Amino acid sequence: MSFDFLFKPLEALDTWLAGLLAGAPLLVSLGIAFVLGLRHASDPDHLVAVTSLVAADDGDVRSAARLGTWWGLGHATMLLVVGLPLIALKSQLPAWLERGAEVGIGLVILLLAVRLLVKWKRGDYAIGPHGHESAAGDHRHVRHGESSAHRHHHLRTPRQAFAIGTLHGLAGTGAVVLLLVAGMPNRLEAAAALAVFAPMTVVSMAACTSAFAWALTRPLVEPLYRRLLIPVFGAFGLIFGLWYAGLT
């Protein structure tokens, strides 16, 4: 099974937007880079990874926004750290490094999906008798006497999101740099466009994860989400991760 069909509409949109860069005034080009950055976070591999991450964290909208922000910060950091030197040198990432990062992303998606399914199977997302989260899953509103394990969880998950974002940033930097260098008249303007593009991926991913958490925590949706959609997300993540890593 191939999931290329999920990427083709977005690639067509990027190609169209990149075509608008050619010969455009600087301010218009920066505006297009702004839109490209907002769109970039919606790549299927990005969404599959953060969907599993947010679902496994089982947080509310604020928690999901925090994870999306950390993912975006990792992604944006890698875009700038690797992308700016590539623009300055008019160079490209080695193909082996780019492919290695893609394989790594596939494996991470696979592991996140496995973790999500294991947590669902052991009842971490169970619904109590009154439609509320059961004790096994009720960990979101602990305030006083918070356990060290709970504190560690809240420190660990943003770090995971940041690390996953950096891996995605590494895999995608080469394509982003090629797009901007091809569309901009000189390296300085391409660097300025990247400086606009990168932060917008943070905003976009925070918005995506917030919307995902908000939709799935609506009273009418949450029971279905906990009983059915979580294993569906996990199963899809397994299949997608295997495909993305080139293991199928």
Side-chain angles (χ1 to χ4, degrees):
M1 173 181 286
S2 172
F3 291 97
D4 284 329
F5 68 93
L6 295 176
F7 292 84
K8 287 181 180 178
L10 298 175
E11 290 172 354
L13 176 60
D14 285 348
T15 300
W16 177 72
L17 288 170
L20 298 179
L21 286 173
L26 177 59
L27 287 179
V28 173
S29 296
L30 293 181
I32 295 169
F34 180 95
V35 174
L36 281 167
L38 287 175
R39 199 239 34 94
H40 186 69
S42 63
D43 280 349
D45 55 310
H46 299 168
L47 294 181
V48 173
V50 296
T51 295
S52 295
L53 189 66
V54 170
D57 185 59
D58 197 33
D60 54 15
V61 174
R62 183 177 298 178
S63 175
R66 184 177 68 248
L67 289 180
T69 299
W70 278 105
W71 184 98
L73 287 171
H75 186 275
T77 298
M78 188 58 67
L79 281 175
L80 294 172
V81 168
V82 177
L84 289 176
L86 289 178
I87 289 173
L89 299 173
K90 286 193 172 180
S91 184
Q92 298 181 24
L93 278 179
W96 62 266
L97 180 58
E98 202 164 355
R99 179 54 191 158
E102 290 175 351
V103 172
I105 289 169
L107 294 176
V108 167
I109 290 173
L110 188 63
L111 291 174
L112 288 172
V114 169
R115 183 179 68 166
L116 182 61
L117 289 172
V118 168
K119 292 182 71 173
W120 176 79
K121 181 67 176 177
R122 73 189 183 197
D124 285 11
Y125 308 112
I127 298 292
H130 302 293
H132 300 295
E133 199 176 355
S134 70
D138 190 10
H139 62 271
R140 286 183 288 179
H141 302 293
V142 177
R143 290 293 181 266
H144 301 292
E146 187 180 46
S147 69
S148 60
H150 185 70
R151 289 194 301 270
H152 179 67
H153 168 79
H154 280 286
L155 291 173
R156 181 186 64 197
T157 308
R159 287 201 297 263
Q160 290 175 346
F162 184 87
I164 295 168
T166 60
L167 188 59
H168 279 273
L170 179 61
T173 296
V176 171
V177 168
L178 283 176
L179 184 151
L180 294 179
V181 168
M184 306 298 287
N186 57 61
R187 284 175 286 184
L188 183 60
E189 292 190 13
L194 183 62
V196 171
F197 179 98
M200 290 306 100
T201 65
V202 183
V203 175
S204 179
M205 186 50 72
C208 285
T209 53
S210 299
F212 173 72
W214 182 88
L216 294 179
T217 54
R218 296 307 87 202
L220 292 177
V221 177
E222 188 167 14
L224 177 65
Y225 162 60
R226 293 182 178 280
R227 293 190 180 101
L228 178 63
L229 294 183
I230 285 177
V232 169
F233 291 146
F236 182 79
L238 285 175
I239 299 169
F240 187 93
L242 287 169
W243 171 78
Y244 202 84
L247 300 177
T248 57

